Amino acid sequence: MTELSNILYAVILLVSGLSCAGYLVYFFRQRKDVRQIARVLLLTSGILQTLFLLTRYVLVGHTPITSPFETMVFFAWSTTWAFLTFHWRYSLKNFGTIVSLMIFSLLVVSLFASQQVVSLPPKLQSVWLPVHAGISLFSYGFLSLAFCGGVMYLILERALKRKRFGFLFERLPSLDALDQLNSHCITIGFGLLTAGILTGVLWLKQVYGDYWHGGPKEVWSMVIWFALLFQVHQRYSVGWRGRRAALLVVLTFVVILLTLWGITYLSGGAHGHAI
């Protein structure tokens, strides 16, 4: 099983890299046949990532979301499928290019983490693990799409302000389409993160007998949640749109990455066995 897992991981890196390269070729050359190949490769990568997580589950004996390596792979998986489900309903010009870069980057980051199996203490071997961690990381998948849309929005807005109606203007979606993308993904991501935090609180109660443990992951998760709550409120109640909304999305996602990488890597996974 270990050998199969390693082979799958290597193939995922290869296929994801080829998909990213294909999207980049399409971005610069606008060859639709290349884009179609890149899409098929990304779908293939998503299927292979799913198979890898299943083999990892058999290998470690629990949901593979407890080590830095598993967290990065699961993050890439959630971003891949968030994009594929999003793309099934909506189509944004060249959006796949920046998303494929994000997915491949997450997988490359996982290369630098140890693939060693992390043993969980009995108190953490609970059904709450896949529910809490899975929902939370899947929310990050949609928030990563919002981040990609926010970056594209800021790049396009800057080009328009400088009246550069050339290369980027022709290849990026409209500002309105990108703003709607951010609204859609932030709303879904916020809802999923809320569910992830609530299930984490219930898991905490089961393990420690109280609803708040005061760990760094808990504190920063609440910071991120309030930042997203502010964005959702400002967008739907005040009508916040445009550059401010895009900039806040980007900054929030940077905090998510710093929290995820910093705390996960420093603690060794599973919040340092403190959830």
Side-chain angles (χ1 to χ4, degrees):
M1 187 59 67
T2 301
E3 184 178 352
L4 175 61
S5 179
N6 291 336
I7 292 173
L8 277 173
Y9 180 60
V11 175
I12 288 167
L13 285 168
L14 175 61
V15 173
S16 299
L18 290 174
S19 174
C20 183
Y23 273 114
L24 286 170
V25 170
Y26 172 71
F27 186 81
F28 288 100
R29 298 294 182 87
Q30 294 294 284
R31 290 184 53 182
K32 292 185 178 180
D33 57 332
V34 175
R35 179 184 62 182
Q36 188 58 36
I37 293 172
R39 286 176 176 174
V40 172
L41 286 171
L42 187 61
L43 175 60
T44 303
S45 174
I47 294 171
L48 289 173
Q49 289 172 48
T50 304
L51 291 174
F52 172 79
L53 291 173
L54 289 174
T55 60
R56 185 78 180 182
Y57 176 86
V58 175
L59 185 64
V60 303
H62 54 74
T63 307
I65 327 177
T66 57
S67 71
F69 170 74
E70 293 166 355
T71 299
M72 288 300 105
V73 175
F74 199 94
F75 195 175
W77 176 85
S78 65
T79 302
T80 301
W81 284 105
F83 171 73
L84 290 172
T85 55
F86 175 86
H87 184 71
W88 179 66
R89 295 186 58 189
Y90 304 96
S91 180
L92 265 71
K93 185 166 53 176
N94 286 310
F95 187 53
T97 302
I98 190 169
V99 174
S100 65
L101 279 168
M102 167 69 75
I103 294 166
F104 187 57
S105 297
L106 291 170
L107 290 171
V108 169
V109 169
S110 71
L111 276 170
F112 298 94
S114 172
Q115 297 188 32
Q116 182 179 357
V117 174
V118 175
S119 298
L120 287 181
K123 66 180 180 181
L124 296 186
Q125 295 176 11
S126 166
V127 70
W128 290 114
L129 172 61
V131 176
H132 161 64
I135 292 175
S136 298
L137 282 174
F138 203 64
S139 75
Y140 289 174
F142 279 96
L143 294 174
S144 68
L145 297 189
F147 166 77
C148 292
V151 170
M152 294 176 80
Y153 188 101
L154 294 173
I155 292 173
L156 181 59
E157 190 218 27
R158 184 179 179 85
L160 291 175
K161 278 188 175 181
R162 296 187 174 188
K163 298 183 179 180
R164 295 178 178 175
F165 305 105
F167 182 82
L168 289 176
F169 182 77
E170 294 174 352
R171 284 166 171 76
L172 295 183
S174 68
L175 292 179
D176 185 60
L178 289 169
D179 189 71
Q180 289 181 18
L181 161 74
N182 286 343
S183 177
H184 176 87
C185 292
I186 281 291
T187 302
I188 294 178
F190 174 72
L192 289 172
L193 184 61
T194 301
I197 289 175
L198 288 175
T199 53
V201 166
L202 293 174
W203 189 14
L204 198 67
K205 174 66 174 177
Q206 181 188 70
V207 174
Y208 294 104
D210 53 41
Y211 294 104
W212 181 259
H213 196 64
K217 188 62 180 290
E218 294 167 77
V219 172
W220 282 103
S221 292
M222 292 309 301
V223 169
I224 293 167
W225 186 83
F226 276 111
L228 292 172
L229 175 64
F230 175 75
Q231 292 176 61
V232 171
H233 175 268
Q234 292 299 96
R235 179 174 287 275
Y236 289 104
S237 298
V238 184
W240 249 29
R241 299 183 64 186
R243 185 177 184 278
R244 288 185 301 178
L247 185 59
L248 195 53
V249 165
V250 171
L251 292 175
T252 302
F253 191 72
V254 170
V255 174
I256 288 174
L257 291 179
L258 292 175
T259 302
L260 185 65
W261 290 340
I263 294 176
T264 301
Y265 275 81
L266 290 174
S267 67
H271 302 200
H273 290 168
I275 305 184

